[in-house]
Amino acid sequence: MLEIKNVSLQVSDNERPLLFEVSAEYPLAHFGAIIGPSGCGKTTLLKLIAGIAPGEEEGEVFWKDRNLEEDDFSPGEIAYVPQFSIAHEELTVRECVTYALRLRVRRSDCPDFTAAVDEILTEVDLLDLESRSVKILSGGQRRRLALAMELTSKPDILLCDEVTSGLDPSSEDDIVRLLHGLSRKENRLILSVTHSLEHIDLYDSILVLVQGIVTYHGPAKFLAHYFGVTHPNEVYARLELRTPEEWGASWIKHSDALKEAAKPKRSRKKTPEKLATTTDSEEESGEKTSSLPGPLSQFLTLLSRRLLVFSRSRQQLLLQVGLIFGFPLLVAIFAWNGLPAVKNLSMGLDLNLLQQLNEARDFLIQSSKVGSLVSGIVMFQVILLTLMGANNSGREIAAERLIFEKEKLSGLNPLSYVASKTAFLGFMILAQSLWMGFFVHQVCGFPGNFEAQLFLLVLVNAAMSSICLAVSSLMRSPEQASLVSIYLVGFQLPLSGAVLALPELLGTLVRPFVSAYWSWSGILQTLKAERYYDIVQTVVQSPLSSLSLCVWILLAHIAAGLFITYLGCERRHIA
């Protein structure tokens, strides 16, 4: 049984509580509706039950005699179905359910995943659509898919947030009847937030909220009588005739009498079906044990799914091909015929003073051009790789925020999630950085320690990718994450000091946070055995740091980015 006792919820920036002294009881094998005007607290009540509501709570919620404040739901006990379907558009119906099952159930507890998925798809009437892509499903089909994904863990309590909203009458009828049927299986409690009361006869109870106050909670058959209307849909208009406080006081006054009238008459003999819906004590004797897969299993499942989604996204594939092959070409254009050789001063004794001055002038001009070219090629590579890093990860988490938060509620380990993102991005970082370094080295004949240069290119790409992944984990929307990531890249060039030197104090303060500087400086240090190094030093005004320090700083950027990413994923984001 689910018991809600005098629960109130206050958000600091709201004068009025979102919920005020809400009390309700729900047995197992029960299908309950939560209705009320928009903004009355219906969804908030569901989130409070699930333990994801914002604000300060008062009161108690019990599930099977457990105080959820002290002993929360295990991931397998509860499922939450949001208003809109949240699944990867590139996957098929079967793939969505299969991945959901692999993330929530151990292989040892479900030896035959294929049969289990077949059973779930049959239950929600999607087996015939198993190979259909999510992006072409209708609204009703998407809602059934969302239910199918939640049924993978066989939850005892299913919370549905306006899953019939926006559907045509036929699809709405299908969903409500499906939910009613699911409530009769395995003693499952289903609570559904809805605006529609066209199928009132299918609900076991109705809870009416007005501005967070309970104004009715009882059998559906008494709803119209209690509010003095001829049809349940007239209840909304009736609620406007009195204040929420007056309706709440009226309910407190009459609730005991209605509960007494709603009690079933005693019967000497119960049918097997009746027994199945009333013997809650047998089901409440113990807590459902969690059978979540281990972190490694979840990591491999997430990585497999991410690679599959990426392989089916034509837009992303074309973009990556364009970046990997187009950006190095842009760099190489500036030294397509190779770096020019630096001519020495002849220092001839037979030259007069004017000739020596002209030769020195020509040497300085030549050195300046060559030094600027070498420094520019290095910085151009670095900046383009930071841009690729931002593109890699700026939207990576924010774009699937709802999916991640939903899966985290179902038991997804945030560490496995971050690790899967790191591995996926690692593939792209290596492909982008290694090809950039190899192509420029081959075409331009770039000198210096080639292996060290490749390593530094990989590091700067990885640093910006991890930093932007952290940004993505903290932002609520992909648009916000993309904007911040682009700003971070935009500041790399001017703050690096590679083009114009910053004032000494400002440079000292900002340089530790500019990944581009450390890669640029480190790559220039690999030229120490070459004459180009001395020439470059004559044209750059910013100090160059040692190669080892550059490597350690970039590694620190990567570690900091991933750590913040983990913190961002651990933090609860309330939609």
Side-chain angles (χ1 to χ4, degrees):
M1 175 179 286
L2 175 69
E3 299 175 84
I4 305 169
K5 297 184 176 181
N6 298 318
V7 167
S8 297
L9 182 68
Q10 177 74 50
V11 177
S12 57
D13 56 353
N14 280 15
E15 295 182 3
R16 186 183 183 91
L18 298 182
L19 298 172
F20 182 71
E21 296 186 356
V22 174
S23 295
E25 292 184 1
Y26 293 99
L28 301 184
H30 187 88
F31 184 30
I34 302 175
I35 71 168
S38 297
C40 68
K42 303 184 294 297
T43 295
T44 302
L45 179 58
L46 284 195
K47 288 185 175 181
L48 185 139
I49 295 171
I52 59 174
E56 300 179 4
E57 300 177 19
E58 293 182 4
E60 297 174 308
V61 180
F62 291 86
W63 171 248
K64 297 182 178 180
D65 295 327
R66 287 164 26 217
N67 189 332
L68 295 179
E69 184 69 27
E70 303 169 357
D71 188 8
D72 203 358
F73 288 110
S74 66
E77 282 185 298
I78 188 170
Y80 187 98
V81 184
Q83 178 177 357
F84 300 104
S85 171
I86 46 177
H88 291 91
E89 299 276 309
E90 297 82 1
L91 301 181
T92 65
V93 169
R94 172 171 285 276
E95 288 166 346
C96 286
V97 178
T98 300
Y99 279 119
L101 185 65
R102 288 172 57 185
L103 286 173
R104 304 179 192 193
V105 180
R106 292 181 184 272
R107 173 69 73 172
S108 58
D109 295 331
C110 183
D112 192 346
F113 275 5
T114 301
V117 172
D118 285 342
E119 180 181 350
I120 294 170
L121 292 178
T122 300
E123 192 170 22
V124 298
D125 195 24
L126 283 178
L127 189 59
D128 292 340
L129 304 176
E130 62 176 344
S131 59
R132 183 169 295 183
S133 177
V134 172
K135 61 187 174 186
I136 61 174
L137 294 179
S138 67
Q141 291 164 349
R142 285 172 177 259
R143 309 295 168 84
R144 294 209 300 273
L145 173 60
L147 287 170
M149 294 170 68
E150 297 311 311
L151 292 176
T152 54
S153 57
K154 298 184 182 298
D156 294 328
I157 177 170
L158 185 61
L159 307 177
C160 302
D161 187 8
E162 299 196 43
V163 295
T164 60
S165 176
L167 298 182
D168 61 82
S170 176
S171 298
E172 179 183 331
D173 182 73
D174 290 343
I175 294 296
V176 174
R177 293 186 183 280
L178 172 60
L179 292 174
H180 178 268
L182 292 174
S183 70
R184 283 356 188 211
K185 295 183 179 180
E186 302 177 359
N187 272 356
R188 183 176 289 123
L189 167 61
I190 296 181
L191 299 180
S192 178
V193 166
T194 181
H195 282 95
S196 173
L197 290 176
E198 292 298 328
H199 306 86
I200 190 171
D201 55 311
L202 294 177
Y203 295 104
D204 297 309
S205 70
I206 306 290
L207 186 145
V208 183
L209 283 174
V210 180
Q211 294 188 20
I213 298 174
V214 176
T215 61
Y216 177 85
H217 179 219
K221 62 182 179 181
F222 294 147
L223 178 68
H225 173 74
Y226 177 78
F227 284 101
V229 295
T230 57
H231 191 278
N233 281 340
E234 299 173 6
V235 168
Y236 290 105
R238 183 72 171 171
L239 290 172
E240 297 178 1
L241 301 180
R242 300 166 69 179
T243 66
E245 290 77 14
E246 290 173 337
W247 281 118
S250 176
W251 169 243
I252 292 174
K253 180 179 178 181
H254 298 97
S255 59
D256 290 339
L258 188 142
K259 290 176 183 177
E260 187 65 29
K263 283 183 178 180
K265 296 181 179 179
R266 292 184 177 274
S267 173
R268 293 184 179 182
K269 186 176 181 179
K270 294 183 179 180
T271 63
E273 180 182 358
K274 190 67 176 178
L275 283 170
T277 62
T278 57
T279 56
D280 296 344
S281 59
E282 295 179 8
E283 294 294 331
E284 297 182 9
S285 59
E287 179 182 346
K288 186 173 182 177
T289 57
S290 174
S291 60
L292 287 171
L296 178 59
S297 176
Q298 288 189 337
F299 161 75
L300 294 174
T301 298
L302 290 167
L303 181 59
S304 170
R305 185 179 69 183
R306 185 64 185 92
L307 291 171
L308 181 59
V309 170
F310 177 73
S311 69
R312 290 185 181 165
S313 177
R314 184 177 180 183
Q315 182 180 1
Q316 278 296 314
L317 287 173
L318 292 176
L319 177 60
Q320 286 301 324
V321 169
L323 294 178
I324 291 174
F325 291 101
F327 277 7
L329 187 61
L330 285 177
V331 177
I333 286 174
F334 293 93
W336 191 263
N337 295 320
L339 295 178
V342 181
K343 297 180 181 180
N344 293 323
L345 289 168
S346 65
M347 302 299 289
L349 297 177
D350 57 335
L351 298 178
N352 59 39
L353 180 60
L354 181 59
Q355 290 173 322
Q356 291 179 16
L357 290 174
N358 287 335
E359 185 180 41
R361 181 202 62 190
D362 293 341
F363 177 79
L364 289 174
I365 294 174
Q366 174 198 217
S367 298
S368 177
K369 289 181 178 180
V370 173
S372 298
L373 178 61
V374 172
S375 175
I377 287 176
V378 173
M379 180 49 69
F380 201 7
Q381 291 181 83
V382 169
I383 290 298
L384 289 179
L385 285 173
T386 61
L387 182 59
M388 284 193 271
N391 177 73
N392 290 342
S393 57
R395 299 170 61 91
E396 186 65 23
I397 295 176
E400 57 178 33
R401 167 70 60 197
L402 294 178
I403 295 176
F404 168 62
E405 292 295 334
K406 181 67 206 62
E407 291 178 336
K408 189 167 68 171
L409 180 64
S410 302
L412 176 62
N413 188 327
L415 186 60
S416 298
Y417 183 76
V418 174
S420 71
K421 295 299 183 185
T422 304
F424 170 71
L425 293 173
F427 295 141
M428 290 200 292
I429 289 167
L430 288 174
Q432 294 165 349
S433 307
L434 296 181
W435 178 247
M436 171 72 82
F438 177 79
F439 187 83
V440 173
H441 179 79
Q442 291 297 114
V443 173
C444 302
F446 206 83
N449 187 325
F450 180 52
E451 291 76 15
Q453 292 168 9
L454 285 181
F455 185 49
L456 287 161
L457 292 176
V458 170
L459 286 182
V460 73
N461 192 342
M464 187 53 62
S465 293
S466 63
I467 291 169
C468 291
L469 190 65
V471 170
S472 188
S473 73
L474 298 173
M475 297 293 108
R476 290 182 177 271
S477 72
E479 291 76 22
Q480 290 178 335
S482 294
L483 188 61
V484 174
S485 298
I486 291 300
Y487 281 153
L488 287 176
V489 173
F491 284 118
Q492 291 291 307
L493 183 58
L495 295 182
S496 68
V499 177
L500 294 174
L502 294 170
E504 184 176 352
L505 178 60
L506 181 60
T508 302
L509 291 175
V510 304
R511 199 170 290 129
F513 306 101
V514 182
S515 302
Y517 165 79
W518 300 102
S519 182
W520 169 76
S521 179
I523 293 175
L524 292 182
Q525 291 290 359
T526 67
L527 304 177
K528 268 194 170 181
E530 307 288 337
R531 191 175 179 189
Y532 291 104
Y533 180 75
D534 296 324
I535 295 176
V536 167
Q537 281 200 312
T538 64
V539 297
V540 298
Q541 302 176 49
S542 299
L544 299 180
S545 301
S546 67
L547 178 59
S548 59
L549 179 61
C550 293
V551 170
W552 282 113
I553 294 293
L554 287 171
L555 289 173
H557 285 192
I558 296 170
L562 294 179
F563 179 67
I564 296 172
T565 300
Y566 175 74
L567 295 180
C569 290
E570 271 282 345
R571 190 181 71 171
R572 180 174 294 158
H573 292 254
I574 305 299

